[in-house]
Structure formats: C-alpha cells, structure tokens
Amino acid sequence: MTDGKGDAWIEAGFRELARSGVEGVRVEVLAKHLGVTKGGFYRRFRDRAALLEGMLRHWCMGRIAAIEQQTSLDGASARGRLRALIQLYSERMNTEGMAVELAIRQWARSDEAAALAVASVDAARLKNVGQLYRATGLAPEEADAQAFLFYCFIFGQSLLFLERGPRKRAQLIAKSAEKLLDE
C-alpha cells in the first residue's frame, strides 16, 4: 500500500513499464531514475510485488474513472459524446499512455492480477460506450456490438502505420467515425 508518497514510485514504474515491460520494473532501476536510494522504496512498499499491485490498482481505477467521465453526457447528445471520444482517441496520440496500455496487456498474458485489471477496464469501457449507443436508440445487443466495434477501431487505428499524410489519415478516421455513428 502507498501512503500518497508512493505515487512517484508508481509513476516511475509506469515509465519503465512502457519502456521495457514488467520485467524492467525493478526497484534498483526505479531508484536510479528517481535519484534516490532503494531504502525510500521500502518505506513505501513491502516489496516489488506490492508496487506492481499498486500500479495495477492505479491504472485500473484511473482508466475506469476516465471512461466514466468521457462518456458522461453532461448536456451533450449520445452521438456527440461518441464523436468526441473518437476525436479524443484518434486526433491526440498519447504515445506514453498507449505504451503503458500495451505493456499492461502484454503483462496480462502471463499474470492473473494484470489480466483481471485489464478485464475490469475493458468491461467498464464496453459498458459505458454501450450505454451511449443505447441512448442513440439501439437495442442492447446491437449497442454492445457497436461498442465492441468502437473499441476495436479506437485501439486498432492507433496501432496502424498508414502510408498516408496526416490530412489523409484524418479523412479516413472521419469516414470510419461516420460508419461507427451510423451517419
């Protein structure tokens, strides 16, 4: 458990996770990056496993809070909110965030706790986007299918290296968004 002072260790853990995977998240490496001794780590965490647990908890809670905020209608229409989500995730490439996401997903392939965290985040994302599609008038099963396609698009487009300039890419994403929004 952290007492709030462990946040710097968790953030350093995420940077290293993005850089070299879960195997690279080692106390010595993080201490060096933070410019502190290993003793500071052990005043905040009992061991490396506690740090990894804290990182998963932090990532999971943060991603779920983010999708809940991003899908909140707050006066916008459901289609407007879906359009805004597509813009958020396709126009502003958060390379560090994507690197962390991919590293956690890779970690989840061999670790049950990481797999549970990823499953929780995916379930929250699909549930919240599915609710937006329901608000457009789609039946629950149709809305869930659209939410699934939505996330396949959001993550897939961020991983593709298109042989197109930024303008052509934006046009392709806009056309794809029209399909996702049934416009």
Side-chain angles (χ1 to χ4, degrees):
M1 280 303 232
T2 70
D3 55 7
K5 296 176 185 172
D7 291 346
W9 289 95
I10 287 175
E11 290 307 317
F14 283 130
R15 284 191 299 277
E16 193 57 39
L17 179 71
R19 189 174 15 258
S20 58
V22 71
E23 301 80 21
V25 180
R26 296 188 330 268
V27 177
E28 304 80 25
V29 172
L30 301 183
K32 182 178 177 185
H33 287 311
L34 291 170
V36 297
T37 65
K38 291 189 322 184
F41 173 85
Y42 291 106
R43 284 192 288 279
R44 290 171 182 79
F45 299 95
R46 72 182 175 280
D47 54 19
R48 178 179 178 265
L51 170 67
L52 295 176
E53 179 184 313
M55 288 172 60
L56 285 174
R57 188 173 39 256
H58 182 84
W59 178 79
C60 189
M61 289 174 17
R63 295 300 81 223
I64 291 172
I67 194 60
E68 287 175 353
Q69 177 192 23
Q70 293 160 353
T71 57
S72 166
L73 288 177
D74 289 332
S77 71
R79 283 192 202 290
R81 184 59 64 203
L82 287 163
R83 191 175 296 105
L85 276 172
I86 291 169
Q87 285 181 305
L88 175 67
Y89 287 104
S90 62
E91 290 179 1
R92 185 187 61 131
M93 198 63 78
N94 179 349
T95 54
E96 186 176 335
M98 185 51 79
V100 168
E101 178 94 23
L102 290 173
I104 288 178
R105 288 179 178 282
Q106 181 63 32
W107 178 11
R109 294 170 55 101
S110 62
D111 182 271
E112 188 176 337
L116 288 171
V118 169
S120 294
V121 168
D122 286 347
R125 286 172 170 163
L126 291 169
K127 177 186 131 229
N128 282 278
V129 171
Q131 287 172 341
L132 288 178
Y133 276 112
R134 281 180 189 77
T136 70
L138 290 180
E141 190 173 292
E142 228 12 71
D144 292 344
Q146 281 296 108
F148 181 77
L149 286 173
F150 180 94
Y151 270 102
C152 288
F153 169 74
I154 292 298
F155 285 109
Q157 64 82 29
S158 70
L159 297 173
L160 294 176
F161 290 95
L162 301 175
E163 293 181 11
R164 300 171 181 238
R167 194 164 136 234
K168 289 279 191 191
R169 179 184 174 84
Q171 290 170 344
L172 179 61
I173 287 172
K175 273 293 193 200
S176 299
E178 288 175 19
K179 299 286 185 196
L180 285 169
L181 298 172
D182 198 25
E183 295 180 328

